[in-house]
Amino acid sequence: MKRKILVMGLPGAGKTTLVEALAPRLNAVVFNGDEIRNNINVDLGFDLPDRIEQARRIGWLCDQVIKAGGYAIGDLICPTPETRAAFTQAEDAFVVWVCRIKKSRFEDTNLMFVPPKRPDIIVGAEGSAEYWAEKIVLAVRPIFDTQKPTALFIGRFQPFHDGHKALVEEGLRRVGQACLAVRDTAGADDKNPYKFEYIRARIEHALRQFEGRFMIVPLPNITNFFYGRDVGYKIEKLDLDAKIEAISATQIRQKLSSSQ
């Protein structure tokens, strides 16, 4: 799932209108090429080397948002393969080419512009900005499909920590989707202080980069798991490295509950 999005195309093609419809749907941070030039990249002009540097800097800003788990949109012309390569230098991007006009009012940009070879979406002349925004959202943010193969993780998650996260990430890598079933043990003893809603919030935050690929459900306090014939389930223990295995939920609970 790509959380870095490049909306590119000739000046006047409708990039910013599309981005204004798209950004709220993803709660994305937007880096508009004109605004960045006017407020940050005031040292850059419009020749090719400066355009490459402009794209590199905006790409880097997007990367910082991605590292924090958010979506980032670069709204800029990116007229050549070199500028697009600079934008994606550190992190690949979902490329949207807004192709609603043949020429812009800037002849130097028209002469420089090279259409992308393999954009992820080409926005043509037909359809509203809202229509295309929805198509992009469905492409970059998957929707959990209950009929697809899914890895099941049953646990107390008191609380959900990096060891749990590593297990789920491995399950996602192997299967594609995950269901986290939270056993209802809240208040049973001092090892189970947290209610389901608190646990769910921690899980959603920790796995936000996998949005659309996991679901969280409450379970009764399941203590035994039985099955009869082999009916298509695969039960497997995931062994992680010693550092991950050593993470202690008890120690994390103590840190969360102590004011010292």
Side-chain angles (χ1 to χ4, degrees):
M1 181 174 67
K2 296 177 182 177
R3 304 175 75 89
K4 180 179 182 179
I5 302 170
L6 171 61
V7 178
M8 54 148 296
L10 287 169
K15 299 186 296 299
T16 300
T17 301
L18 173 59
V19 168
E20 288 173 351
L22 174 62
R25 286 168 164 80
L26 296 173
N27 195 26
V29 177
V30 176
F31 297 100
N32 174 274
D34 291 337
E35 292 179 356
I36 294 294
R37 273 187 186 279
N38 292 336
N39 294 282
I40 299 176
N41 293 346
V42 293
D43 58 315
L44 299 179
F46 292 91
D47 60 11
L48 183 55
D50 279 4
R51 288 178 185 266
I52 292 172
E53 180 60 14
Q54 161 91 337
R56 187 195 69 78
R57 293 181 187 179
I58 294 178
W60 183 88
L61 289 170
C62 288
D63 294 339
Q64 308 319 300
V65 175
I66 303 305
K67 289 177 183 178
Y71 284 90
I73 301 173
D75 170 10
L76 65 161
I77 299 169
C78 259
T80 68
E82 295 84 0
T83 56
R84 296 188 282 272
F87 181 83
T88 58
Q89 182 174 313
E91 180 81 25
D92 200 9
F94 186 91
V95 178
V96 179
W97 178 22
V98 183
C99 183
R100 294 195 165 204
I101 59 175
K102 299 294 184 182
K103 290 184 178 181
S104 75
R105 65 185 186 276
F106 301 106
E107 191 57 33
D108 60 333
T109 304
N110 297 335
L111 293 172
M112 184 183 295
F113 193 85
V114 178
K117 289 184 177 180
R118 290 182 294 275
D120 295 285
I121 284 184
I122 300 176
V123 176
E126 302 299 323
S128 65
E130 289 74 17
Y131 167 81
W132 287 106
E134 194 64 22
K135 288 183 71 70
I136 296 167
V137 169
L138 291 174
V140 301
R141 189 175 64 192
I143 297 174
F144 192 91
D145 187 342
T146 57
Q147 294 188 329
K148 284 186 176 181
T150 303
L152 174 64
F153 295 88
I154 300 176
R156 296 179 300 118
F157 307 118
Q158 293 276 349
F160 190 82
H161 55 62
D162 286 345
H164 298 135
K165 181 181 178 182
L167 282 171
V168 175
E169 287 178 342
E170 180 62 15
L172 289 170
R173 186 187 68 80
R174 296 189 185 196
V175 182
Q177 291 190 157
C179 175
L180 288 84
V182 181
R183 292 169 52 199
D184 184 7
T185 60
D189 52 41
D190 59 0
K191 293 182 179 180
N192 296 277
Y194 305 116
K195 294 183 178 180
F196 171 75
E197 294 300 334
Y198 175 83
I199 295 170
R200 179 168 65 180
R202 283 185 66 103
I203 294 172
E204 288 175 342
H205 178 74
L207 300 179
R208 61 195 181 279
Q209 69 190 96
F210 303 107
E211 182 183 8
R213 295 178 59 193
F214 69 92
M215 67 180 302
I216 307 164
V217 297
L219 272 189
N221 185 17
I222 300 295
T223 58
N224 297 76
F225 180 78
F226 303 107
Y227 74 100
R229 296 181 297 110
D230 182 0
V231 289
Y233 302 111
K234 182 178 180 181
I235 301 176
E236 182 179 0
K237 181 178 183 293
L238 296 179
D239 292 313
L240 303 176
D241 64 65
K243 184 177 180 180
I244 295 295
E245 296 281 2
I247 294 175
S248 167
T250 299
Q251 293 177 359
I252 294 174
R253 285 194 299 272
Q254 290 172 348
K255 291 179 180 178
L256 290 173
S257 61
S258 174
S259 60
Q260 301 301 318

